[in-house]
Structure formats: structure tokens, C-alpha cells
Amino acid sequence: MFNTSLGIDDLIFLAQGAGMTILVTAIAVAIGTVLGIAFGIFRYQAGPVLAAPVTFVLDLFRSIPLLIQLVLANAFIGTVLRLKMSGFTVACAVLSLYTAAYCAEIVRGGIQAVPSNTRRAARSLGMSWFQDMTHIVLPLATRIALPSWIGLALGVMKDSALVYVVQVTELLKSTQILITRLQEPLFLLLICGAFYFIISFPIARFGGYLEKRWSND
């Protein structure tokens, strides 16, 4: 017979950690997506030469492991700038920029995938650049980029487990705390995985639903 020391309070503690994971992910994905759209459009419109500085910075965020970014950002803000910033704020800021770096590439690729003939037809009808982008390019690019964006959102959710280094107690950190106290690693990791599945599955299914619906339009 299976026995466990896990109690209701422990499950509530894990749920609170899951809530923190959802909150950090939601903030990072929301801010990162807005910044990513802006950076992606700029990179596409400015061309490789003028956009080189922005491209270089985005490449840094994509190339350096997230764990190192979190540690360096926390140390820089506290030691060099001497600012008192909570670990939660640092985590959201770094994850947002990390998300924006990947999202910008997704947006740029989506815009480039829109047929040039479609854009020329829109401009020949007298549409301005802004009208062309908002009514033609971005709706088509969204359909193309959606699967990659869903994958990015799910990846950020899992990468948020690294924010423990800036003293943010998210789902995995909560699990590690309980493992240390209860000494039931396999069972607790199984529950942790179930929490991640519960969070991820609706997002993945909703993305699949939108993709299927748009492909039938």
C-alpha cells in the first residue's frame, strides 16, 4: 500500500508555486510579445544594416543561457546600479526580454512569408504602409507565426523554473522544498509534472484549435 506524508497544505503550497509560474509566464509572454512585434517589424522594415544593433542585442538574449542572464541581471541591478528590485521584478524583466528576442524572429519570419504580390496589390489599391501592415500583413503573418508563438509561450513557461536563482518560489522550487522536507522525490516530481501538464495542455489545444480554424477559412 502506498503511503505519503503529503498533506492538503503541501498541495496548496504547490498550487501557489504553480500560480507564480503562471503569473511570471503571463507577464513575460505579454510584454515579450508586444516588444517582439515591434522589434520584428523594425528588423523587417529597416533591413539588415540599419537593424544591425537591434539584431546584435536580440542575438545576445537568444545565445546566452537564461540562467546566466538571470544571475547577471540580478547582480548588475543590485551591485552596480545599487537598486532595490525584487526577484519577481528581475525575473519578469529578464524573461520578457528573452521572450522578445525569440518573438522578434518569429514575427520577422512571418512577415517575410507573406507573398510580395499580396503586398503590392494592397499598395496598388491606395493603402498606406500602416493600413497594409494592419489589414493585410499582420493578419496573414499571425496565421503563419502562431504555431511557433505557441511553442515559444510553452517554452517560456518551462524556462520560468530557472527564476529560483533570483529568489522566486515557482512550481519547481516549491517541489524541491517539499522534496527536502518529505523525502518523496519521485511522487512529488510526478505531481509537479501533472501541474505543468495541466497548465500547458489547454494552451497547446487552444493554439491547435485556432490553427485548424484559420486553415479552414
Side-chain angles (χ1 to χ4, degrees):
M1 182 176 180
F2 176 74
N3 293 317
T4 179
S5 301
L6 188 71
I8 296 299
D9 290 340
D10 298 323
L11 287 174
I12 293 174
F13 182 63
L14 286 175
Q16 290 173 341
M20 180 59 69
T21 292
I22 294 172
L23 180 60
V24 170
T25 302
I27 292 174
V29 170
I31 297 176
T33 298
V34 173
L35 292 176
I37 291 173
F39 291 146
I41 293 175
F42 175 76
R43 286 192 61 196
Y44 176 79
Q45 289 296 134
V49 177
L50 292 178
V54 173
T55 302
F56 176 74
V57 173
L58 295 178
D59 285 342
L60 283 179
F61 279 97
R62 286 200 302 269
S63 303
I64 300 174
L66 180 59
L67 181 63
I68 297 177
Q69 293 183 36
L70 288 165
V71 173
L72 290 179
N74 193 48
F76 180 77
I77 292 171
T79 305
V80 179
L81 299 182
R82 298 186 181 278
L83 296 176
K84 292 184 178 180
M85 190 175 293
S86 68
F88 176 79
T89 303
V90 174
C92 289
V94 173
L95 270 176
S96 294
L97 293 174
Y98 177 79
T99 304
Y102 282 95
C103 186
E105 194 65 24
I106 292 173
V107 171
R108 186 183 65 84
I111 294 175
Q112 284 184 331
V114 176
S116 57
N117 290 338
T118 303
R119 300 202 65 184
R120 283 196 292 267
R123 300 307 289 270
S124 67
L125 293 174
M127 285 188 174
S128 64
W129 176 89
F130 181 78
Q131 291 173 324
D132 176 33
M133 290 297 297
T134 55
H135 297 293
I136 304 297
V137 177
L138 289 182
L140 292 175
T142 299
R143 297 189 180 196
I144 297 168
L146 179 65
S148 297
W149 183 85
I150 293 293
L152 173 62
L154 293 176
V156 171
M157 186 270 294
K158 288 178 282 189
D159 289 340
S160 69
L162 297 175
V163 301
Y164 76 90
V165 298
V166 290
Q167 307 304 314
V168 177
T169 305
E170 40 65 59
L171 178 55
L172 188 58
K173 181 62 176 179
S174 301
T175 304
Q176 291 172 338
I177 292 172
L178 290 181
I179 288 174
T180 302
R181 184 167 63 84
L182 301 179
Q183 296 299 306
E184 298 178 8
L186 294 179
F187 181 57
L188 288 169
L189 287 174
L190 181 63
I191 294 176
C192 179
F195 269 107
Y196 275 114
F197 176 78
I198 291 170
I199 297 171
S200 303
F201 185 75
I203 299 174
R205 290 300 90 207
F206 181 67
Y209 165 76
L210 288 179
E211 186 179 0
K212 181 177 180 181
R213 180 176 179 181
W214 286 345
S215 64
N216 292 332
D217 288 345

